[in-house]
């Protein structure tokens, strides 16, 4: 994978907006899932399982949302894969970048 | 404080029952508080605050509920202080132990 892609000013704007939107989606899904789990919880062990769930989600989101241009292709690929981002939100990016993302997705679909 | 108190078999039974009951109360209060907080939570930061709350409660309960006979006087004193235990639940303990617990409470009430 080519990590030396150049990002134009307009691409950076598109990337930032897509990134922020995906973060909102990821957090929103986590919040909804958390509230459902908490509402269903009836035992002490279920309560501690929710603590573990929140810890894992916090770590996962922290690791996934890495806004470095050298990482963004993999990050966007993963966000699409996780359902946090739609490919159409990246339509302002150059063809080579979108192609790299598609390669990433195709590679992971085979894995 | 005298940590060399002897615990008879019947006192151990009373202590264990009071300890287990207090743990149930502490966990029950935490569960109720957790469910209320989770139900009220509307933002991502409130969700992470609840993770922190659960982490603190888990640590606090783990540290507090230390069933070693050398620690039980302080543990019972603290449990009474925290509202997890009523002194009457310790009525099967010897007078010297109940006196030690009262000393602990009096000392902490002054602090």
């Amino acid at each position: 994978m080519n990590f030396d892609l150049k990002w134009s000013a307009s691409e950076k704007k598109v990337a930032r907006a897509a990134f922020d939107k995906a973060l909102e989606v990821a957090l929103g899904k986590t919040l909804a899932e958390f509230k459902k789990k908490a509402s269903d919880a009836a035992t002490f062990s279920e309560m501690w399982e929710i603590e573990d769930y929140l810890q894992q989600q916090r770590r996962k989101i922290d690791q996934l949302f890495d806004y470095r241009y050298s990482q963004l292709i993999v990050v966007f690929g993963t966000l699409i894969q996780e359902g946090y981002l739609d490919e159409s939100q990246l339509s302002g990016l150059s063809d080579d970048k979108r192609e790299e993302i598609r390669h990433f997705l195709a590679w992971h679909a085979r894995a």
Side-chain angles (χ1 to χ4, degrees), chain A:
Chain A
M1 201 160 289
N2 176 8
F3 291 113
D4 289 330
L5 297 161
K6 299 291 171 227
W7 297 74
S8 72
S10 77
E11 282 183 313
K12 286 181 179 180
K13 208 170 159 182
V14 166
R16 188 77 237 184
F19 183 94
D20 289 348
K21 189 68 183 46
L23 179 56
E24 191 85 5
V25 170
L27 287 169
K29 283 188 176 185
T30 303
L31 180 60
E33 177 82 12
F34 158 69
K35 283 181 76 81
K36 177 161 187 347
K37 281 176 188 286
S39 160
D40 291 348
T43 66
F44 308 141
S45 67
E46 281 165 353
M47 174 172 67
W48 302 132
E49 281 163 24
I50 293 170
E51 188 203 342
D52 295 338
Y53 166 78
L54 286 175
Q55 222 167 57
Q56 284 157 14
Q57 286 301 109
R58 175 132 65 168
R59 199 174 306 128
K60 182 181 161 186
I61 289 172
D62 280 350
Q63 285 171 352
L64 183 51
F65 285 86
D66 178 1
Y67 195 84
R68 284 178 293 167
Y69 293 110
S70 62
Q71 302 301 313
L72 273 186
I73 297 297
V74 170
V75 169
F76 283 144
T78 311
L79 293 178
I80 291 167
Q81 212 177 20
E82 297 271 337
Y84 299 150
L85 185 69
D86 192 272
E87 219 187 316
S88 64
Q89 294 173 264
L90 302 174
S91 59
L93 301 187
S94 65
D95 287 344
D96 59 340
K97 293 187 190 67
R98 302 190 69 188
E99 196 53 42
E100 293 271 13
I101 292 168
R102 269 182 229 113
H103 278 158
F104 173 90
L105 288 168
W107 192 87
H108 280 268
R110 279 203 309 273

